Amino acid sequence: MDLADLYRDVIVDHNRNPRNFGRLEHPSRAADGHNPLCGDRLHLELVLDGGRVADVRFDGKGCAISTASASLMTEAIKGKTLPEVEQLFGTVHDMLTRRDAPVPPELGKLAALSGVREFPARVKCASLCWHTLNAALAGDSAPVKTE
Ligand code: ZN
């Protein structure tokens, strides 16, 4: 199995069985995202506790890339401090938008999304959840649009 197959399997798995899907009882932050180019819609909720992402859930309706990306993101950020989340956002953003950016090993399963940078129209599908996360962390209640 080559890397492309492995990456595809991760995306298929997270699209079919999204992790942290649903709503939280008492979120401390929430934001909505919309990618009109593809029709992806995302609602993200977080519980922040002591400067960490204590819990996170998402729901919504979107393509396989947007759903898998949100699922992978929630797994990656749970338990992380806000500076760690910010750093991860930068690394993921580079991976998605810079064709020559290296894919650092600490990205783990998030590396499965690196293939989208070959398809500029899908980059917004993969980055929607991250922009929505930023809005939630900033306490910005206006819906996020990717364009
Ligand atoms: Zn999409």
Side-chain angles (χ1 to χ4, degrees):
M1 182 184 276
D2 67 17
L3 202 55
D5 289 334
L6 183 69
Y7 285 174
R8 193 159 43 238
D9 284 355
V10 169
I11 289 170
V12 167
D13 173 38
H14 277 260
N15 177 47
R16 284 196 188 138
N17 304 297
R19 318 302 198 266
N20 303 304
F21 192 84
R23 300 259 175 155
L24 292 166
E25 209 148 302
H26 300 291
S28 48
R29 298 289 174 87
D32 289 288
H34 180 210
N35 172 20
L37 204 65
C38 177
D40 309 314
R41 282 185 185 278
L42 183 73
H43 177 78
L44 187 73
E45 296 183 339
L46 301 166
V47 173
L48 298 181
D49 187 23
R52 278 179 194 274
V53 177
D55 209 353
V56 53
R57 296 269 196 291
F58 79 100
D59 68 8
K61 231 174 158 33
C63 66
I65 298 288
S66 71
T67 302
S69 182
S71 172
L72 287 162
M73 181 189 79
T74 58
E75 272 199 330
I77 65 170
K78 206 187 260 192
K80 282 201 164 52
T81 65
L82 297 185
E84 286 168 345
V85 169
E86 202 173 312
Q87 194 178 3
L88 188 61
F89 175 84
T91 310
V92 170
H93 195 263
D94 273 359
M95 174 185 80
L96 293 177
T97 56
R98 288 179 43 212
R99 276 185 165 220
D100 57 343
V103 178
E106 66 264 26
L107 279 182
K109 280 187 188 173
L110 287 168
L113 295 163
S114 60
V116 304
R117 60 186 170 187
E118 305 297 327
F119 307 96
R122 311 312 301 275
V123 169
K124 287 176 177 171
C125 300
S127 61
L128 176 66
C129 59
W130 290 92
H131 291 298
T132 309
L133 172 65
N134 261 3
L137 292 177
D140 193 349
S141 57
V144 178
K145 270 201 183 187
T146 54
E147 44 193 57

